[in-house]
Amino acid sequence: MGGGVYHALQRNGGLISSRLGVKFRVSQVAVRDVSKSRPVDIPRARLTQDWRAVVENPETDIVCELMGGVTTAKAVITTALKLGKPVVTANKALLSACGEELFELAKQRGTSLYYEASVAGGIPIIKVLREALIGNRITRLYGIVNGTCNYILTRMKLEGADFSAVLADAQRLGFAEAEPSLDVDGHDGAQKIGILASLAHGFWVPPAQIHTEGIREVTPLDIQFAEQLGYTIKLIAMVKKFDAGRSGKTTRIQVSITPTLVPSSHVLANVNHVFNAVLVRGDVVGDTLYYGRGAGQDATASSVLSDIADAALDLQCHTEQRVPAFVPHENDGEVVKIDDTISRYYLRLSVVDKPGTLARIAALLGQSKIGISSVIQPEGHEGESVPLILMIHDASFAAMSKALTKIGRLPVIKGTPVLFRVENFE
Ligand SMILES: NC(=O)c1ccc[n+]([C@@H]2O[C@H](COP(=O)([O-])OP(=O)(O)OC[C@H]3O[C@@H](n4cnc5c(N)ncnc54)[C@H](OP(=O)(O)O)[C@@H]3O)[C@@H](O)[C@H]2O)c1
């Protein structure tokens, strides 16, 4: 995407200059291999394999780190920040792992670290949380932030196809990586929701505290049953703010990413293919929604340009900490353990079709004070395995897991139960 940024600057650099009164010049571009042929025509003299030469060049006022990875990228960013140079990055993996440390370094050196492109590509969600909604406490944040998963789930729904068949096709078409785990197992989305949660709530949320589930378990059958019940399955990243509770912590939040049933009439259910969307609820503004392309070099370049413009304005106006990139302001925030969170659930069991099965399952759920709101059991032949779908009323994840362990031990249960959350956006 570095090429996309170069191209966008060539196209609209003049426009930005006329809007800001600041002229941009790409002084140098560091790449891994200068001899490689590139779709964007960058003069050979500007290319170098020595990133240090670019960062330390006295003519470089703003450093853009668009190489990805964590080791060299971290060296690039820390070197620049130590020199007091503002940095623009799109690197969610690095921010997720070391964001707190890097933001602190920027603060110490009186400069800024900009990261609009690190979450949801072209959607300016960082600016929204940093600036536009600064007067709000963020009570809920829901996001479809991984384009690959959204693309796969959309096609599974439209075509009734299997996860693995759609994944293989997505890889062929370039919508999924050859090594898809970062996306389909939820880790990429977890990195992004961790960044948004930290920004929205003012304390750092490390990846280990984010409950992460991917989409491998979702089957065409689940999509079909969900549809019958009026829901669509999406990979939803969420941040929910709770009351102080017994812990006495001022800010308690749930941060998770899970396949989730959302009402088909809800706007997030209709965000399809590679598109991303983020719904932010503020205590003053209410619900707000942001939609756009979550990846791709042009969409992401738009976010990088916005950061470059901000960095330039700050340099011009000597306001390096005008809107600090990340402001720790909650000293005793806490991420609630997933076991203590409450949700409605969709439960799919594979059961032997025989009289009394449902009653035994309902009894085990009842022992854990878990109520069933509806049931679907397609007609089968006695003695055969059939799917049994239960919609479950609000229950804690701990209670649900305990009940599922007991249910799983019943001889009539075949295979592993599948459990997804149901979100009604209340
Ligand atoms: N692509 C997207 O849609 C997108 C969206 C949001 C965020 N991001 C983030 O943007 C970052 C880059 O992703 P990408 O997809 O653009 O990756 P990419 O296509 O692999 O590009 C990486 C670039 O960095 C250069 N590079 C790598 N290691 C280097 C080194 N040691 N020294 C100098 N240059 C080096 C590469 O040079 P060569 O060209 O010579 O190989 C290449 O130009 C990642 O953090 C990613 O998470 C990407």
PDB file of all heavy atoms in Angstrom, residues 1-2 30-34 36 38 49 51 65-69 72 90-92 117-118 121 294-297 300, ligand 1:
ATOM      1  N   MET A   1       0.796  -1.213   0.000  1.00  0.00           N
ATOM      2  CA  MET A   1       0.000   0.000   0.000  1.00  0.00           C
ATOM      3  C   MET A   1       0.834   1.271   0.000  1.00  0.00           C
ATOM      4  O   MET A   1       0.301   2.345  -0.229  1.00  0.00           O
ATOM      5  CB  MET A   1      -0.984   0.006   1.160  1.00  0.00           C
ATOM      6  CG  MET A   1      -0.339   0.116   2.507  1.00  0.00           C
ATOM      7  SD  MET A   1      -1.512   0.491   3.755  1.00  0.00           S
ATOM      8  CE  MET A   1      -1.620   2.222   3.515  1.00  0.00           C
ATOM      9  N   GLY A   2       2.170   1.125   0.238  1.00  0.00           N
ATOM     10  CA  GLY A   2       3.047   2.293   0.117  1.00  0.00           C
ATOM     11  C   GLY A   2       2.909   2.889  -1.280  1.00  0.00           C
ATOM     12  O   GLY A   2       2.871   4.110  -1.459  1.00  0.00           O
ATOM     13  N   ALA A  30      11.842   3.918   1.153  1.00  0.00           N
ATOM     14  CA  ALA A  30      12.606   2.706   1.466  1.00  0.00           C
ATOM     15  C   ALA A  30      11.805   1.482   1.047  1.00  0.00           C
ATOM     16  O   ALA A  30      10.606   1.398   1.324  1.00  0.00           O
ATOM     17  CB  ALA A  30      12.911   2.643   2.956  1.00  0.00           C
ATOM     18  N   VAL A  31      12.457   0.569   0.360  1.00  0.00           N
ATOM     19  CA  VAL A  31      11.820  -0.696  -0.038  1.00  0.00           C
ATOM     20  C   VAL A  31      12.787  -1.841   0.295  1.00  0.00           C
ATOM     21  O   VAL A  31      13.950  -1.605   0.605  1.00  0.00           O
ATOM     22  CB  VAL A  31      11.483  -0.721  -1.557  1.00  0.00           C
ATOM     23  CG1 VAL A  31      10.364   0.235  -1.883  1.00  0.00           C
ATOM     24  CG2 VAL A  31      12.721  -0.440  -2.395  1.00  0.00           C
ATOM     25  N   ARG A  32      12.266  -3.055   0.181  1.00  0.00           N
ATOM     26  CA  ARG A  32      13.118  -4.214   0.480  1.00  0.00           C
ATOM     27  C   ARG A  32      14.061  -4.462  -0.687  1.00  0.00           C
ATOM     28  O   ARG A  32      15.219  -4.798  -0.500  1.00  0.00           O
ATOM     29  CB  ARG A  32      12.215  -5.428   0.715  1.00  0.00           C
ATOM     30  CG  ARG A  32      12.893  -6.553   1.457  1.00  0.00           C
ATOM     31  CD  ARG A  32      11.988  -7.767   1.526  1.00  0.00           C
ATOM     32  NE  ARG A  32      10.864  -7.580   2.433  1.00  0.00           N
ATOM     33  CZ  ARG A  32       9.583  -7.766   2.104  1.00  0.00           C
ATOM     34  NH1 ARG A  32       9.257  -8.122   0.896  1.00  0.00           N
ATOM     35  NH2 ARG A  32       8.633  -7.595   2.993  1.00  0.00           N
ATOM     36  N   ASP A  33      13.540  -4.257  -1.914  1.00  0.00           N
ATOM     37  CA  ASP A  33      14.320  -4.610  -3.104  1.00  0.00           C
ATOM     38  C   ASP A  33      14.141  -3.516  -4.165  1.00  0.00           C
ATOM     39  O   ASP A  33      13.091  -3.424  -4.797  1.00  0.00           O
ATOM     40  CB  ASP A  33      13.813  -5.976  -3.611  1.00  0.00           C
ATOM     41  CG  ASP A  33      14.501  -6.412  -4.886  1.00  0.00           C
ATOM     42  OD1 ASP A  33      15.431  -5.707  -5.333  1.00  0.00           O
ATOM     43  OD2 ASP A  33      14.098  -7.455  -5.444  1.00  0.00           O
ATOM     44  N   VAL A  34      15.159  -2.704  -4.361  1.00  0.00           N
ATOM     45  CA  VAL A  34      15.036  -1.570  -5.295  1.00  0.00           C
ATOM     46  C   VAL A  34      14.915  -2.026  -6.751  1.00  0.00           C
ATOM     47  O   VAL A  34      14.430  -1.274  -7.600  1.00  0.00           O
ATOM     48  CB  VAL A  34      16.222  -0.572  -5.177  1.00  0.00           C
ATOM     49  CG1 VAL A  34      16.188   0.199  -3.882  1.00  0.00           C
ATOM     50  CG2 VAL A  34      17.552  -1.260  -5.362  1.00  0.00           C
ATOM     51  N   LYS A  36      13.094  -4.407  -7.915  1.00  0.00           N
ATOM     52  CA  LYS A  36      11.770  -4.976  -8.225  1.00  0.00           C
ATOM     53  C   LYS A  36      10.976  -4.039  -9.148  1.00  0.00           C
ATOM     54  O   LYS A  36      11.043  -2.815  -8.976  1.00  0.00           O
ATOM     55  CB  LYS A  36      11.041  -5.114  -6.885  1.00  0.00           C
ATOM     56  CG  LYS A  36       9.887  -6.025  -6.852  1.00  0.00           C
ATOM     57  CD  LYS A  36       9.585  -6.347  -5.389  1.00  0.00           C
ATOM     58  CE  LYS A  36       8.143  -6.231  -5.084  1.00  0.00           C
ATOM     59  NZ  LYS A  36       7.849  -6.489  -3.668  1.00  0.00           N
ATOM     60  N   ARG A  38       7.654  -2.172 -10.233  1.00  0.00           N
ATOM     61  CA  ARG A  38       6.535  -1.714  -9.404  1.00  0.00           C
ATOM     62  C   ARG A  38       5.426  -1.120 -10.274  1.00  0.00           C
ATOM     63  O   ARG A  38       5.717  -0.448 -11.258  1.00  0.00           O
ATOM     64  CB  ARG A  38       7.007  -0.616  -8.435  1.00  0.00           C
ATOM     65  CG  ARG A  38       8.004  -1.119  -7.468  1.00  0.00           C
ATOM     66  CD  ARG A  38       8.699  -0.111  -6.609  1.00  0.00           C
ATOM     67  NE  ARG A  38       9.797  -0.811  -5.953  1.00  0.00           N
ATOM     68  CZ  ARG A  38       9.650  -1.632  -4.931  1.00  0.00           C
ATOM     69  NH1 ARG A  38       8.464  -1.791  -4.393  1.00  0.00           N
ATOM     70  NH2 ARG A  38      10.677  -2.280  -4.422  1.00  0.00           N
ATOM     71  N   GLN A  49      17.240   0.902  -0.106  1.00  0.00           N
ATOM     72  CA  GLN A  49      16.957  -0.265   0.749  1.00  0.00           C
ATOM     73  C   GLN A  49      17.315   0.037   2.200  1.00  0.00           C
ATOM     74  O   GLN A  49      17.170  -0.823   3.058  1.00  0.00           O
ATOM     75  CB  GLN A  49      17.722  -1.484   0.231  1.00  0.00           C
ATOM     76  CG  GLN A  49      17.082  -2.018  -1.042  1.00  0.00           C
ATOM     77  CD  GLN A  49      17.850  -3.121  -1.724  1.00  0.00           C
ATOM     78  OE1 GLN A  49      17.662  -3.355  -2.903  1.00  0.00           O
ATOM     79  NE2 GLN A  49      18.737  -3.802  -1.015  1.00  0.00           N
ATOM     80  N   TRP A  51      16.346   1.925   5.246  1.00  0.00           N
ATOM     81  CA  TRP A  51      15.287   2.718   5.885  1.00  0.00           C
ATOM     82  C   TRP A  51      15.863   3.784   6.823  1.00  0.00           C
ATOM     83  O   TRP A  51      15.302   4.874   6.998  1.00  0.00           O
ATOM     84  CB  TRP A  51      14.285   1.826   6.623  1.00  0.00           C
ATOM     85  CG  TRP A  51      14.828   1.027   7.780  1.00  0.00           C
ATOM     86  CD1 TRP A  51      15.203  -0.277   7.741  1.00  0.00           C
ATOM     87  CD2 TRP A  51      15.070   1.481   9.117  1.00  0.00           C
ATOM     88  NE1 TRP A  51      15.648  -0.681   8.973  1.00  0.00           N
ATOM     89  CE2 TRP A  51      15.575   0.383   9.841  1.00  0.00           C
ATOM     90  CE3 TRP A  51      14.909   2.693   9.786  1.00  0.00           C
ATOM     91  CZ2 TRP A  51      15.920   0.458  11.190  1.00  0.00           C
ATOM     92  CZ3 TRP A  51      15.254   2.780  11.131  1.00  0.00           C
ATOM     93  CH2 TRP A  51      15.758   1.674  11.826  1.00  0.00           C
ATOM     94  N   GLU A  65       5.484   4.751   8.037  1.00  0.00           N
ATOM     95  CA  GLU A  65       5.894   3.334   8.140  1.00  0.00           C
ATOM     96  C   GLU A  65       4.770   2.511   7.540  1.00  0.00           C
ATOM     97  O   GLU A  65       3.705   2.375   8.151  1.00  0.00           O
ATOM     98  CB  GLU A  65       6.143   2.976   9.615  1.00  0.00           C
ATOM     99  CG  GLU A  65       6.592   1.543   9.827  1.00  0.00           C
ATOM    100  CD  GLU A  65       5.459   0.521   9.734  1.00  0.00           C
ATOM    101  OE1 GLU A  65       4.494   0.612  10.513  1.00  0.00           O
ATOM    102  OE2 GLU A  65       5.541  -0.362   8.855  1.00  0.00           O
ATOM    103  N   LEU A  66       5.021   1.962   6.343  1.00  0.00           N
ATOM    104  CA  LEU A  66       3.988   1.175   5.651  1.00  0.00           C
ATOM    105  C   LEU A  66       4.563  -0.162   5.219  1.00  0.00           C
ATOM    106  O   LEU A  66       4.173  -0.717   4.196  1.00  0.00           O
ATOM    107  CB  LEU A  66       3.472   1.961   4.434  1.00  0.00           C
ATOM    108  CG  LEU A  66       2.916   3.361   4.758  1.00  0.00           C
ATOM    109  CD1 LEU A  66       2.693   4.173   3.500  1.00  0.00           C
ATOM    110  CD2 LEU A  66       1.633   3.252   5.557  1.00  0.00           C
ATOM    111  N   MET A  67       5.530  -0.662   6.005  1.00  0.00           N
ATOM    112  CA  MET A  67       6.176  -1.921   5.608  1.00  0.00           C
ATOM    113  C   MET A  67       5.517  -3.142   6.248  1.00  0.00           C
ATOM    114  O   MET A  67       5.621  -4.244   5.738  1.00  0.00           O
ATOM    115  CB  MET A  67       7.669  -1.889   5.940  1.00  0.00           C
ATOM    116  CG  MET A  67       7.958  -1.734   7.422  1.00  0.00           C
ATOM    117  SD  MET A  67       9.723  -1.851   7.821  1.00  0.00           S
ATOM    118  CE  MET A  67      10.485  -0.760   6.695  1.00  0.00           C
ATOM    119  N   GLY A  68       4.832  -2.948   7.374  1.00  0.00           N
ATOM    120  CA  GLY A  68       4.213  -4.077   8.081  1.00  0.00           C
ATOM    121  C   GLY A  68       5.241  -4.861   8.886  1.00  0.00           C
ATOM    122  O   GLY A  68       6.429  -4.526   8.907  1.00  0.00           O
ATOM    123  N   GLY A  69       4.770  -5.912   9.558  1.00  0.00           N
ATOM    124  CA  GLY A  69       5.658  -6.691  10.428  1.00  0.00           C
ATOM    125  C   GLY A  69       5.899  -5.932  11.722  1.00  0.00           C
ATOM    126  O   GLY A  69       5.450  -4.785  11.885  1.00  0.00           O
ATOM    127  N   THR A  72      11.347  -4.770  12.267  1.00  0.00           N
ATOM    128  CA  THR A  72      11.952  -3.609  11.606  1.00  0.00           C
ATOM    129  C   THR A  72      11.030  -2.400  11.709  1.00  0.00           C
ATOM    130  O   THR A  72      11.478  -1.277  11.930  1.00  0.00           O
ATOM    131  CB  THR A  72      12.256  -3.929  10.118  1.00  0.00           C
ATOM    132  OG1 THR A  72      12.925  -5.178  10.054  1.00  0.00           O
ATOM    133  CG2 THR A  72      13.137  -2.863   9.501  1.00  0.00           C
ATOM    134  N   ALA A  90       0.278   2.284   9.406  1.00  0.00           N
ATOM    135  CA  ALA A  90      -0.963   1.528   9.155  1.00  0.00           C
ATOM    136  C   ALA A  90      -0.875   0.181   9.864  1.00  0.00           C
ATOM    137  O   ALA A  90      -1.664  -0.714   9.606  1.00  0.00           O
ATOM    138  CB  ALA A  90      -1.111   1.300   7.647  1.00  0.00           C
ATOM    139  N   ASN A  91       0.101   0.065  10.767  1.00  0.00           N
ATOM    140  CA  ASN A  91       0.531  -1.235  11.282  1.00  0.00           C
ATOM    141  C   ASN A  91      -0.227  -1.659  12.541  1.00  0.00           C
ATOM    142  O   ASN A  91       0.219  -1.445  13.666  1.00  0.00           O
ATOM    143  CB  ASN A  91       2.031  -1.137  11.557  1.00  0.00           C
ATOM    144  CG  ASN A  91       2.668  -2.483  11.688  1.00  0.00           C
ATOM    145  OD1 ASN A  91       2.022  -3.435  12.117  1.00  0.00           O
ATOM    146  ND2 ASN A  91       3.924  -2.555  11.334  1.00  0.00           N
ATOM    147  N   LYS A  92      -1.394  -2.311  12.326  1.00  0.00           N
ATOM    148  CA  LYS A  92      -2.210  -2.704  13.497  1.00  0.00           C
ATOM    149  C   LYS A  92      -1.520  -3.769  14.339  1.00  0.00           C
ATOM    150  O   LYS A  92      -1.658  -3.794  15.557  1.00  0.00           O
ATOM    151  CB  LYS A  92      -3.582  -3.194  13.056  1.00  0.00           C
ATOM    152  CG  LYS A  92      -3.527  -4.443  12.201  1.00  0.00           C
ATOM    153  CD  LYS A  92      -4.510  -4.403  11.078  1.00  0.00           C
ATOM    154  CE  LYS A  92      -3.974  -5.154   9.896  1.00  0.00           C
ATOM    155  NZ  LYS A  92      -4.417  -4.753   8.629  1.00  0.00           N
ATOM    156  N   ALA A 117      -4.970   4.499   9.357  1.00  0.00           N
ATOM    157  CA  ALA A 117      -5.112   3.369   8.421  1.00  0.00           C
ATOM    158  C   ALA A 117      -4.999   2.004   9.100  1.00  0.00           C
ATOM    159  O   ALA A 117      -5.204   0.976   8.456  1.00  0.00           O
ATOM    160  CB  ALA A 117      -4.050   3.477   7.324  1.00  0.00           C
ATOM    161  N   SER A 118      -4.701   2.008  10.397  1.00  0.00           N
ATOM    162  CA  SER A 118      -4.501   0.709  11.058  1.00  0.00           C
ATOM    163  C   SER A 118      -5.823  -0.017  11.330  1.00  0.00           C
ATOM    164  O   SER A 118      -5.838  -1.220  11.550  1.00  0.00           O
ATOM    165  CB  SER A 118      -3.726   0.881  12.362  1.00  0.00           C
ATOM    166  OG  SER A 118      -4.495   1.597  13.300  1.00  0.00           O
ATOM    167  N   GLY A 121      -9.339   0.373   7.315  1.00  0.00           N
ATOM    168  CA  GLY A 121      -8.883   0.930   6.034  1.00  0.00           C
ATOM    169  C   GLY A 121      -9.262   2.372   5.799  1.00  0.00           C
ATOM    170  O   GLY A 121      -8.738   3.286   6.439  1.00  0.00           O
ATOM    171  N   GLY A 294     -12.597  -1.539   3.931  1.00  0.00           N
ATOM    172  CA  GLY A 294     -11.714  -1.774   5.072  1.00  0.00           C
ATOM    173  C   GLY A 294     -10.288  -2.110   4.679  1.00  0.00           C
ATOM    174  O   GLY A 294      -9.435  -2.268   5.543  1.00  0.00           O
ATOM    175  N   ALA A 295     -10.024  -2.248   3.400  1.00  0.00           N
ATOM    176  CA  ALA A 295      -8.665  -2.557   2.947  1.00  0.00           C
ATOM    177  C   ALA A 295      -8.546  -2.141   1.494  1.00  0.00           C
ATOM    178  O   ALA A 295      -9.468  -1.551   0.932  1.00  0.00           O
ATOM    179  CB  ALA A 295      -8.381  -4.046   3.102  1.00  0.00           C
ATOM    180  N   GLY A 296      -7.396  -2.447   0.917  1.00  0.00           N
ATOM    181  CA  GLY A 296      -7.165  -2.048  -0.473  1.00  0.00           C
ATOM    182  C   GLY A 296      -6.315  -0.804  -0.458  1.00  0.00           C
ATOM    183  O   GLY A 296      -6.473   0.058   0.416  1.00  0.00           O
ATOM    184  N   GLN A 297      -5.398  -0.735  -1.437  1.00  0.00           N
ATOM    185  CA  GLN A 297      -4.398   0.324  -1.318  1.00  0.00           C
ATOM    186  C   GLN A 297      -4.970   1.740  -1.481  1.00  0.00           C
ATOM    187  O   GLN A 297      -4.496   2.657  -0.815  1.00  0.00           O
ATOM    188  CB  GLN A 297      -3.213   0.091  -2.232  1.00  0.00           C
ATOM    189  CG  GLN A 297      -3.501   0.070  -3.707  1.00  0.00           C
ATOM    190  CD  GLN A 297      -2.198   0.046  -4.494  1.00  0.00           C
ATOM    191  OE1 GLN A 297      -1.161  -0.311  -3.972  1.00  0.00           O
ATOM    192  NE2 GLN A 297      -2.268   0.443  -5.746  1.00  0.00           N
ATOM    193  N   THR A 300      -7.061   2.669   1.811  1.00  0.00           N
ATOM    194  CA  THR A 300      -6.169   2.829   2.955  1.00  0.00           C
ATOM    195  C   THR A 300      -5.276   4.049   2.770  1.00  0.00           C
ATOM    196  O   THR A 300      -4.970   4.762   3.733  1.00  0.00           O
ATOM    197  CB  THR A 300      -5.336   1.543   3.145  1.00  0.00           C
ATOM    198  OG1 THR A 300      -6.221   0.425   3.011  1.00  0.00           O
ATOM    199  CG2 THR A 300      -4.716   1.484   4.508  1.00  0.00           C
TER     200      THR A 300
HETATM  201  N1  LIG B   1      -2.781  -3.601   2.061  1.00  0.00           N
HETATM  202  C1  LIG B   1      -3.838  -3.114   2.724  1.00  0.00           C
HETATM  203  O1  LIG B   1      -4.961  -3.044   2.207  1.00  0.00           O
HETATM  204  C2  LIG B   1      -3.665  -2.611   4.128  1.00  0.00           C
HETATM  205  C3  LIG B   1      -4.780  -2.060   4.808  1.00  0.00           C
HETATM  206  C4  LIG B   1      -4.608  -1.571   6.100  1.00  0.00           C
HETATM  207  C5  LIG B   1      -3.380  -1.669   6.712  1.00  0.00           C
HETATM  208  N2  LIG B   1      -2.325  -2.238   6.043  1.00  0.00           N
HETATM  209  C6  LIG B   1      -1.046  -2.319   6.733  1.00  0.00           C
HETATM  210  O2  LIG B   1      -0.039  -1.728   5.928  1.00  0.00           O
HETATM  211  C7  LIG B   1       1.202  -2.366   6.179  1.00  0.00           C
HETATM  212  C8  LIG B   1       1.812  -2.823   4.855  1.00  0.00           C
HETATM  213  O3  LIG B   1       0.933  -3.741   4.236  1.00  0.00           O
HETATM  214  P1  LIG B   1       1.032  -4.030   2.659  1.00  0.00           P
HETATM  215  O4  LIG B   1      -0.103  -4.906   2.323  1.00  0.00           O
HETATM  216  O5  LIG B   1       1.194  -2.762   1.899  1.00  0.00           O
HETATM  217  O6  LIG B   1       2.410  -4.852   2.592  1.00  0.00           O
HETATM  218  P2  LIG B   1       3.354  -5.140   1.342  1.00  0.00           P
HETATM  219  O7  LIG B   1       2.559  -5.126   0.087  1.00  0.00           O
HETATM  220  O8  LIG B   1       4.149  -6.361   1.701  1.00  0.00           O
HETATM  221  O9  LIG B   1       4.339  -3.881   1.263  1.00  0.00           O
HETATM  222  C9  LIG B   1       5.360  -3.704   2.178  1.00  0.00           C
HETATM  223  C10 LIG B   1       6.332  -2.676   1.611  1.00  0.00           C
HETATM  224  O10 LIG B   1       7.370  -2.461   2.567  1.00  0.00           O
HETATM  225  C11 LIG B   1       8.639  -2.698   1.945  1.00  0.00           C
HETATM  226  N3  LIG B   1       9.528  -3.307   2.958  1.00  0.00           N
HETATM  227  C12 LIG B   1       9.327  -4.448   3.635  1.00  0.00           C
HETATM  228  N4  LIG B   1      10.366  -4.685   4.465  1.00  0.00           N
HETATM  229  C13 LIG B   1      11.224  -3.668   4.310  1.00  0.00           C
HETATM  230  C14 LIG B   1      12.476  -3.347   4.885  1.00  0.00           C
HETATM  231  N5  LIG B   1      13.054  -4.124   5.801  1.00  0.00           N
HETATM  232  N6  LIG B   1      13.098  -2.220   4.499  1.00  0.00           N
HETATM  233  C15 LIG B   1      12.522  -1.408   3.566  1.00  0.00           C
HETATM  234  N7  LIG B   1      11.334  -1.660   2.986  1.00  0.00           N
HETATM  235  C16 LIG B   1      10.691  -2.779   3.351  1.00  0.00           C
HETATM  236  C17 LIG B   1       8.374  -3.624   0.769  1.00  0.00           C
HETATM  237  O11 LIG B   1       9.376  -3.460  -0.203  1.00  0.00           O
HETATM  238  P3  LIG B   1       9.367  -4.273  -1.603  1.00  0.00           P
HETATM  239  O12 LIG B   1       8.274  -3.611  -2.420  1.00  0.00           O
HETATM  240  O13 LIG B   1      10.709  -4.085  -2.184  1.00  0.00           O
HETATM  241  O14 LIG B   1       9.045  -5.701  -1.250  1.00  0.00           O
HETATM  242  C18 LIG B   1       7.002  -3.129   0.309  1.00  0.00           C
HETATM  243  O15 LIG B   1       7.136  -2.022  -0.542  1.00  0.00           O
HETATM  244  C19 LIG B   1       0.912  -3.510   7.165  1.00  0.00           C
HETATM  245  O16 LIG B   1       1.184  -3.067   8.468  1.00  0.00           O
HETATM  246  C20 LIG B   1      -0.577  -3.746   6.984  1.00  0.00           C
HETATM  247  O17 LIG B   1      -1.188  -4.296   8.137  1.00  0.00           O
HETATM  248  C21 LIG B   1      -2.443  -2.705   4.770  1.00  0.00           C
END
